Amino acid sequence: MVFTSLAHLINEDLLREAYDRTRKDAAPGVDGVTAKQYAENLEAKLTNLHERLRGGRYFAPPVARKMLEKEDGGKRPIGLPTFEDKIVQRAVAMVMGAIYEQEFKDFSHGFREGHSAHQALHEIREQCMNMNINWIIDADVTAFFDSLEHELLKEVIKERVNDGGILRLIGKWLNAGVLEDGTLSYPERGTPQGGVISPMLANVFLHRVLDEWYVREVKPRLKGRSFLIRFADDFVIGCELEQDARRIMAVLPKRFGRYKLTIHPKKTKLIKFSKPRSEEAAGGNGTFDFLGFTHYWTRSQRGYWVIKRETAGKRLRRAMKKAWQWCQRNRHEPVRAQYRTLCQKLRGHYQYYGIRGNYRRMERLYRVVERSWRYWLSRRSNESYLSVEKFAKLTTKLPLPRPRIVHNI
């Protein structure tokens, strides 16, 4: 069924709920308005926003762009929409979600209610062990969010949502422009990462490009068992038979090429990942990274072969480097303020990476943070060295949180 009348559902009540669901601690956009400032006289602002949307007078402001460092040394562009624009994007995402959630596949876990990265990690482990998976396709889509073809995206959306009001809003966001270092540009392709609507658009597009294609055309033609796990534009495909994996590897670039997307030829790999029969056989297996974790076969404490996960080397090195740099930049701040921030950083890291089998890598980060803090505290004054005893007394009063297992997956 194609929905042709949806814009009227975006009323003041929906905008108010969208406001409640929008993060209040994110950085402001090009207008500099924070969530706290927007909350002043909120009802009047939402009423005015609704009237502009009804009259087609809503203007999508440009997106401020910041560049974040990637693990490979490159830069990842992140968009910062204005707070009001986030509310409208959230409202449209809620309406579209009510439609598309009915048909999204269960193996798609990115930015969906009831799904999470840890759920995706759990399913990979269970399916590899229970389906006798021997080969993993570790795929990488080159600059997906920057390469998304606008017209192709609109065509895919129109197959289910052909409402003029919704399509015009999406068109405004796609063509709003990007403000970077004072320069305004209008990219012809892509959707900004960081926008509230971007994950929904990515899921809609990749549902058509990958998920439906895999279920309807790929899986029925395979001779062995197989699975697909996707989180936004990151996905892995597991195959029982090598010939099935090689057939998928051959056709995958062609499929994405039809939608003007590129499968990275060097980062996309076919990896042998079978259950070892002996210690010698384990050496012939490879490893793969997914969602920040390295997956590998090893012996359990009881002697069984199991799949374990640990923080990917690039992620761990990046976290340690950032901890050192932060302690260096903030060494002259009050000690208790430094302590509170370091605790937040460590707890945030444990909250995501705290899974069984990963304690040693979390412990390694903990030790690096502790050493970095001590080193740069010793540079606060004329004292060139903060003794072990002095630092021990400090950490007794202000103990850094130790690693802990949060997720039993």
Side-chain angles (χ1 to χ4, degrees):
M1 181 180 291
V2 181
F3 292 84
T4 58
S5 181
L6 292 172
H8 69 281
L9 297 174
I10 304 178
N11 52 28
E12 289 188 42
D13 291 334
L14 186 67
L15 290 173
R16 192 173 296 105
E17 185 176 351
Y19 166 81
D20 293 336
R21 294 190 184 188
T22 302
R23 283 185 58 184
K24 309 297 190 296
D25 58 347
V30 294
D31 60 357
V33 177
T34 63
K36 185 177 180 180
Q37 292 171 333
Y38 195 87
E40 299 173 2
N41 200 14
L42 177 62
E43 294 302 322
K45 290 178 180 176
L46 292 180
T47 300
N48 178 266
L49 176 59
H50 179 231
E51 290 175 355
R52 282 182 284 144
L53 288 170
R54 283 186 60 190
R57 294 179 286 108
Y58 179 76
F59 170 74
V63 176
R65 172 178 284 177
K66 287 187 176 182
M67 306 301 290
L68 300 181
E69 290 186 8
K70 297 172 64 175
E71 292 94 336
D72 58 5
K75 299 287 186 179
R76 183 189 302 277
I78 297 295
L80 299 174
T82 64
F83 186 78
E84 184 176 72
D85 202 40
K86 289 180 183 178
I87 295 175
V88 182
Q89 290 188 29
R90 176 70 64 188
V92 173
M94 289 164 63
V95 172
M96 293 181 66
I99 296 169
Y100 283 103
E101 279 295 329
Q102 313 304 318
E103 57 186 71
F104 283 161
K105 305 301 181 184
D106 290 338
F107 54 72
S108 170
H109 297 284
F111 308 103
R112 296 177 58 193
E113 290 188 13
H115 294 259
S116 68
H118 295 97
Q119 187 175 347
L121 292 168
H122 171 72
E123 289 189 8
I124 286 180
R125 182 180 186 274
E126 293 303 307
Q127 298 200 54
C128 281
M129 296 180 67
N130 297 331
M131 297 174 65
N132 193 30
I133 296 299
N134 297 303
W135 298 88
I136 291 288
I137 299 173
D138 183 10
D140 183 271
V141 184
T142 304
F144 170 76
F145 284 94
D146 295 329
S147 306
L148 202 56
E149 191 76 27
H150 291 174
E151 294 305 316
L152 286 174
L153 174 62
K154 291 178 183 177
E155 289 178 12
V156 171
I157 294 174
K158 284 180 181 179
E159 294 177 0
R160 294 286 277 136
V161 176
N162 197 14
D163 176 85
I166 299 293
L167 292 173
R168 277 192 295 273
L169 281 173
I170 293 175
K172 289 179 180 180
W173 290 319
L174 293 176
N175 299 293
V178 175
L179 185 65
E180 184 177 3
D181 297 329
T183 303
L184 183 62
S185 60
Y186 295 92
E188 297 181 358
R189 306 177 71 181
T191 177
Q193 286 182 264
V196 178
I197 195 66
S198 295
M200 173 59 69
L201 299 180
N203 276 333
V204 169
F205 197 68
L206 287 172
H207 173 75
R208 171 67 181 277
V209 176
L210 179 63
D211 300 354
E212 285 188 335
W213 171 71
Y214 171 79
V215 172
R216 294 181 181 179
E217 299 183 31
V218 175
K219 198 170 183 179
R221 290 179 168 85
L222 301 180
K223 295 183 179 180
R225 290 176 289 184
S226 174
F227 72 84
L228 166 66
I229 299 292
R230 181 173 69 82
F231 192 93
D233 60 323
D234 295 329
F235 65 94
V236 295
I237 300 175
C239 294
E240 184 179 10
L241 303 178
E242 181 180 2
Q243 59 181 0
D244 288 339
R246 296 196 178 279
R247 288 174 61 193
I248 296 175
M249 279 284 288
V251 76
L252 204 57
K254 300 176 184 177
R255 174 65 180 180
F256 277 75
R258 288 180 55 186
Y259 292 88
K260 307 295 180 65
L261 296 173
T262 305
I263 295 292
H264 200 292
K266 294 183 179 179
K267 293 183 179 180
T268 301
K269 301 175 182 178
L270 178 60
I271 301 160
K272 184 180 180 183
F273 198 72
S274 57
K275 183 178 180 179
R277 303 298 179 187
S278 63
E279 301 295 339
E280 292 76 14
N285 259 343
T287 64
F288 68 94
D289 292 349
F290 186 64
L291 298 180
F293 289 90
T294 298
H295 297 67
Y296 61 98
W297 281 97
T298 187
R299 293 274 192 186
S300 68
Q301 292 183 347
R302 297 183 178 181
Y304 301 111
W305 287 107
V306 295
I307 296 174
K308 289 190 177 182
R309 287 72 49 92
E310 64 182 16
T311 308
K314 291 181 179 179
R315 294 286 183 97
L316 182 62
R317 288 191 293 273
R318 183 178 66 178
M320 293 189 296
K321 180 181 177 182
K322 285 188 174 182
W324 176 270
Q325 293 173 341
W326 187 91
C327 290
Q328 179 185 19
R329 290 194 304 267
N330 297 274
R331 62 186 182 275
H332 295 299
E333 297 296 321
V335 174
R336 287 190 177 274
Q338 293 186 46
Y339 169 72
R340 286 192 295 268
T341 303
L342 288 174
C343 287
Q344 291 174 356
K345 291 179 179 294
L346 284 172
R347 290 192 185 105
H349 185 88
Y350 304 155
Q351 188 64 36
Y352 183 76
Y353 291 100
I355 67 173
R356 285 188 301 167
N358 195 35
Y359 188 89
R360 289 184 179 179
R361 294 236 163 172
M362 292 192 295
E363 176 78 12
R364 188 175 167 189
L365 176 65
Y366 169 82
R367 294 300 179 190
V368 168
V369 171
E370 194 176 47
R371 287 197 301 269
S372 301
W373 195 28
R374 177 191 166 196
Y375 178 87
W376 287 109
L377 281 179
S378 69
R379 299 301 187 269
R380 282 165 58 98
S381 64
N382 293 330
E383 295 183 14
S384 60
Y385 179 77
L386 183 63
S387 68
V388 175
E389 292 77 12
K390 288 182 179 180
F391 189 73
K393 289 180 180 179
L394 174 64
T395 52
T396 300
K397 295 180 180 178
L398 303 174
L400 293 173
R402 299 298 299 263
R404 65 190 185 95
I405 303 302
V406 179
H407 306 279
N408 187 26
I409 62 171

